[in-house]
């Protein structure tokens, strides 16, 4: 795999997206940096990590004709790939908090930011950004963050972790166009954080309610059984899990 290594950049996702506008990028190209000055997270959030202690990288994936209806398959595949690499690295308690936070027990170990490029009505490529907390031991003002090192006591070689994670993600991504969408979805549902457990959620209006995560719709929305036993679906902006 071709890897572009940078000392510092605003965001590896932004950089790779811009590069893809000018160049016909090879499938699987990776951009990695020691330091991001404007690391981006889900829903406009900021992604912070200490220079040289964790992994912040983006991968380019080209699709030949991926229908928009299967967009959620990319989310499923990337989360499953990161999870399987972490399992191989013997990190305990891994699950996926919908849509794509990678958890170790109750704490967040990695975040994923997927940005798709479209041509007519198909997805032509994706820029997949991954922030994985590897050797960091202190997270200021982030009580729900953890790292691989905090979990196991091991200091990891960042290049080795990058290889494991990027290879596992590319393997899972091959399934997205291979007609494996429903199997990908069911594999993803099996590793969902707090599935089938009563959890507290907050809706857009700020109202809290108890519900049980039952699964994911084909569009990638979360399916929650409310207290009155109705199954309701929510998009990312519509709901927050309080845990
Ligand atoms: C989230 O959990 O909110 C997603 C975080 C994604 C962070 C990664 S770090 C590498 C890539 N470049 C970015 O600007 N963001 C992603």
């Amino acid at each position: 795999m071709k890897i572009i290594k940078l000392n510092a950049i605003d965001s590896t996702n932004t950089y790779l997206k811009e590069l893809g506008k000018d160049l016909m990028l090879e499938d699987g190209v990776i951009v990695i940096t020691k330091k991001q000055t404007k690391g981006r997270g889900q829903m406009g959030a900021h992604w912070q990590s200490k220079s040289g202690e964790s992994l912040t990288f983006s991968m380019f994936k080209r699709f030949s004709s991926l229908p928009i209806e299967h967009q959620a398959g990319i989310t499923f595949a990337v989360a499953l790939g990161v999870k399987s690499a972490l399992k191989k690295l013997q990190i305990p308690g891994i699950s996926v908090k919908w849509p794509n936070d990678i958890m170790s027990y109750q704490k967040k170990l990695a975040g994923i930011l997927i940005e798709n490029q479209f041509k007519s009505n198909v997805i032509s490529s994706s820029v997949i950004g991954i922030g994985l907390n590897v050797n960091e031991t202190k997270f200021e003002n982030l009580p729900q963050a953890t790292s691989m090192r905090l979990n196991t006591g091991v200091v990891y070689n960042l290049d080795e972790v990058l290889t494991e994670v990027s290879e596992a993600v590319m393997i899972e991504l091959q399934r997205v166009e291979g007609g494996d969408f429903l199997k990908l979805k069911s594999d993803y549902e099996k590793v969902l954080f707090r599935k089938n457990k009563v959890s507290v959620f907050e809706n857009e209006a700020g109202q809290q309610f108890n519900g049980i995560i039952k699964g994911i719709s084909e569009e990638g929305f979360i399916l929650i059984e409310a207290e009155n036993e109705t199954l309701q679906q929510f998009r990312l902006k519509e709901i927050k899990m309080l845990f």
Side-chain angles (χ1 to χ4, degrees):
M1 261 186 272
K2 189 169 178 181
I3 304 183
I4 302 169
K5 291 190 174 184
L6 305 169
N7 276 327
I9 191 76
D10 51 357
S11 148
T12 55
N13 261 43
T14 309
Y15 178 88
L16 196 49
K17 275 201 300 181
E18 289 302 315
L19 205 63
K21 285 183 191 159
D22 300 334
L23 299 175
M24 180 70 184
L25 287 176
E26 219 177 278
D27 188 38
V29 170
I30 293 173
V31 174
I32 180 158
T33 190
K34 286 190 185 136
K35 183 180 162 71
Q36 284 192 130
T37 53
K38 275 192 196 152
R40 294 187 291 116
Q42 296 269 355
M43 296 198 292
H46 186 66
W47 181 262
Q48 286 169 274
S49 70
K50 287 211 187 72
S51 177
E53 290 190 14
S54 283
L55 285 176
T56 48
F57 67 100
S58 301
M59 305 172 64
F60 182 81
K61 175 68 192 162
R62 187 176 295 288
F63 296 106
S64 51
S65 63
L66 181 65
I68 289 173
E69 305 83 77
H70 285 179
Q71 182 163 344
I74 306 170
T75 301
F76 303 153
V78 176
L80 287 168
V82 177
K83 181 177 187 296
S84 90
L86 293 171
K87 192 174 171 209
K88 202 167 158 198
L89 290 161
Q90 298 182 315
I91 310 300
I94 302 295
S95 63
V96 180
K97 181 167 163 282
W98 176 82
N100 39 26
D101 284 352
I102 307 296
M103 310 294 285
S104 172
Y105 300 111
Q106 306 296 312
K107 293 196 168 186
K108 180 164 167 174
L109 190 60
I112 298 166
L113 180 66
I114 300 172
E115 297 183 285
N116 297 323
Q117 291 77 52
F118 302 88
K119 244 183 219 146
S120 345
N121 58 346
V122 295
I123 300 169
S124 53
S125 60
S126 287
V127 168
I128 296 153
I130 299 176
L132 170 61
N133 300 329
V134 181
N135 290 326
E136 278 176 75
T137 51
K138 286 203 179 91
F139 294 95
E140 265 150 50
N141 305 320
L142 291 170
Q144 284 175 327
T146 190
S147 71
M148 291 168 55
R149 181 176 174 182
L150 282 175
N151 270 273
T152 61
V154 175
V155 178
Y156 294 87
N157 175 308
L158 291 179
D159 287 334
E160 284 170 17
V161 179
L162 172 68
T163 303
E164 290 294 348
V165 174
S166 57
E167 286 182 1
V169 168
M170 282 313 272
I171 289 171
E172 292 294 327
L173 280 168
Q174 283 168 13
R175 300 173 60 190
V176 177
E177 268 191 307
D180 204 8
F181 181 79
L182 290 177
K183 178 74 173 66
L184 261 176
K185 183 169 100 68
S186 69
D187 287 350
Y188 174 91
E189 285 173 321
K190 283 187 198 132
V191 299
L192 271 180
F193 180 69
R194 295 199 65 78
K195 189 177 172 207
N196 291 329
K197 292 184 180 151
V198 178
S199 305
V200 183
F201 298 91
E202 188 176 287
N203 65 19
E204 270 182 308
Q207 291 158 335
Q208 294 187 3
F209 63 96
N210 289 337
I212 301 174
I213 295 176
K214 287 292 173 188
I216 302 292
S217 74
E218 288 190 18
E219 297 86 2
F221 305 147
I222 194 155
L223 300 172
I224 297 175
E225 189 182 277
E227 271 174 318
N228 61 7
E229 290 183 8
T230 58
L231 199 59
Q232 300 176 7
Q233 63 171 36
F234 297 89
R235 292 161 202 257
L236 182 56
K237 287 182 185 153
E238 296 171 342
I239 191 142
K240 192 160 75 185
M241 193 196 303
L242 309 173
F243 65 99

